[in-house]
Amino acid sequence: MTIPLKRSYVTALSFVLASSFVVSACGNKDQTVSAKGQTPEVSELRYQGSVGSVTYPELAEDLGYLAPLKLKFIGNTISGPQDIQAVVTGDTDFGGAFNGAIVKLIAAKAPIKPVISYYGVDDNTWTGYYVLDGSPIKTAKDLIGKKIAVNTLGAHHEFVIKEYLHRAGLTAEEIKQVTLVVVPPVTSEQTLRAAQIDVAALGGTLRDKALERGGIQPLFKDKDLFGNFSAGSYVLTDKFIKNNPNASHKFVEATAKAIEWARTTPQTEVVARYEKIINARDRKEDASTVKFWKSTGIAGKGGLISDKEFDTWIHWLVNEGVIKEGQLSVKGLYTNEFNPFVNEKK
């Protein structure tokens, strides 16, 4: 990942996240090794899904990698911060979010451990911040007094927007005048075309489906700002890892294999598999967007996490005065030890 540090801080971003009591990190190497090939301590993992898309744990289950573990769907979410908060509160067993949001929550004393990357940015998978053709918005300055649709506050989209505004030289007061509006991703395009917002964050299949219809253009892209990088991770609680090392290992192993299956399988076969999964689960959702799927966007093989994918946000939080120098270290913040590709090069 190439992230140019053009200011004394990387960006500005506010996270609204829950606090929790810190528990010592678990899942050491010896424990991980002993978990391999052994029966999971639980039979199912509770999780939240995403409308019209397939997560890698869902793909892993469909491919047979997760057995004997099963997934228990408890609902959909459009918010990474909410998803990992649900893990902290015990409503789910795993959840995923933007790495910056995870760092913020860990700084707030949450007992969670990132275990595998699950989304990112590459040449085919990225997010654009789109305006309608003919829009008067041409520069960052033009966003003052305007509304931008994002999937949630305190996560990837907000970070990118604030970085774009800072790099363009907007002051803190000017940035406050740019309004972020939470809109479900599946309706962001429609909301933009109805002129209820001025800019819409569109990524992945939703972006390509919107582009197929035409009439929109990107004001800026996250890839142009930061290059290729893994942006978010799945987390487990320290308690879950300690009490369920075999299940933790199985979950990460299966998800890692699913990521590599998607990375190495022809795009048409991946799309067909996704369509099959969506249609079979019968959640009354539109499966048409998955035909635009192009890549995993994940930098590390099998979702391996690298130091820089978290160290960047630690430095940002320090520079913003959110945490103190030395309060958090990337060492021990995440673990790759359950990942079967840990000894392979990225």
Side-chain angles (χ1 to χ4, degrees):
M1 174 175 67
T2 302
I3 298 183
L5 303 180
K6 294 190 176 181
R7 301 177 59 90
S8 60
Y9 45 81
V10 177
T11 188
L13 171 64
S14 59
F15 296 105
V16 182
L17 295 170
S19 297
S20 185
F21 181 72
V22 148
V23 181
S24 61
C26 303
N28 58 50
K29 190 171 183 179
D30 291 340
Q31 186 184 62
T32 304
V33 172
S34 67
K36 293 182 179 179
Q38 297 188 17
T39 302
E41 298 83 358
V42 294
S43 61
E44 64 181 21
L45 297 176
R46 298 163 299 155
Y47 80 105
Q48 296 184 107
S50 180
V51 175
S53 65
V54 177
T55 67
Y56 290 110
E58 288 174 326
L59 176 61
E61 182 176 46
D62 188 71
L63 290 169
Y65 298 153
L66 195 61
L69 274 175
K70 294 182 179 180
L71 297 179
K72 183 177 181 180
F73 172 74
I74 68 166
N76 287 309
T77 184
I78 61 170
S79 168
Q82 184 278 331
D83 201 25
I84 59 176
Q85 286 178 41
V87 178
V88 174
T89 59
D91 295 312
T92 58
D93 295 308
F94 70 87
F98 169 58
N99 288 335
I102 294 172
V103 170
K104 175 67 175 181
L105 193 55
I106 292 175
K109 310 300 185 183
I112 55 174
K113 179 78 70 176
V115 292
I116 186 170
S117 297
Y118 76 99
Y119 87 93
V121 174
D122 64 17
D123 292 342
N124 293 311
T125 301
W126 43 268
T127 296
Y129 296 78
Y130 285 86
V131 297
L132 295 173
D133 286 350
S135 169
I137 300 173
K138 306 296 183 184
T139 69
K141 281 279 188 181
D142 297 330
L143 290 172
I144 297 173
K146 299 300 190 294
K147 297 178 181 179
I148 304 177
V150 298
N151 68 314
T152 188
L153 299 177
H156 186 114
H157 291 165
E158 183 172 345
F159 164 79
V160 172
I161 292 166
K162 295 290 178 67
E163 176 68 2
Y164 172 71
L165 297 175
H166 271 297
R167 291 191 190 184
L170 271 69
T171 66
E173 284 303 312
E174 287 174 329
I175 290 174
K176 289 179 181 178
Q177 298 175 57
V178 180
T179 303
L180 303 185
V181 181
V182 175
V183 177
V186 293
T187 60
S188 291
E189 178 196 351
Q190 177 185 351
T191 307
L192 175 64
R193 294 187 188 280
Q196 295 175 324
I197 55 171
D198 302 290
V199 183
L202 296 171
T205 57
L206 293 176
R207 176 201 67 212
D208 290 344
K209 192 173 183 180
L211 287 173
E212 186 179 58
R213 283 187 276 267
I216 62 173
Q217 56 185 307
L219 179 64
F220 62 98
K221 307 171 186 176
D222 56 4
K223 177 176 168 47
D224 292 341
L225 291 172
F226 306 109
N228 295 0
F229 65 104
S230 289
S233 304
Y234 282 126
V235 304
L236 301 172
T237 63
D238 296 331
K239 181 179 179 180
F240 185 91
I241 293 173
K242 180 179 180 180
N243 294 339
N244 307 285
N246 300 339
S248 299
H249 180 272
K250 189 64 179 178
F251 165 71
V252 176
E253 177 186 63
T255 303
K257 289 180 177 180
I259 289 170
E260 285 309 298
W261 182 89
R263 192 197 301 272
T264 59
T265 299
Q267 186 261 357
T268 54
E269 292 183 33
V270 176
V271 168
R273 194 86 184 202
Y274 282 178
E275 289 175 336
K276 178 184 80 70
I277 292 171
I278 291 173
N279 291 328
R281 67 194 185 193
D282 193 25
R283 295 179 192 167
K284 296 180 173 60
E285 54 195 329
D286 183 6
S288 65
T289 58
V290 298
K291 73 177 181 179
F292 295 98
W293 184 91
K294 293 180 179 178
S295 67
T296 68
I298 299 168
K301 186 171 184 179
L304 286 170
I305 304 170
S306 69
D307 284 358
K308 61 187 177 183
E309 290 160 1
F310 281 98
D311 203 38
T312 298
W313 317 130
I314 292 174
H315 287 302
W316 173 82
L317 289 170
V318 170
N319 291 331
E320 286 295 303
V322 178
I323 64 175
K324 296 179 180 180
E325 184 76 40
Q327 182 178 337
L328 280 183
S329 170
V330 72
K331 184 178 181 180
L333 186 144
Y334 69 88
T335 182
N336 280 320
E337 291 173 355
F338 295 118
N339 197 309
F341 300 101
V342 66
N343 294 318
E344 298 187 27
K345 291 183 179 180
K346 290 190 174 185

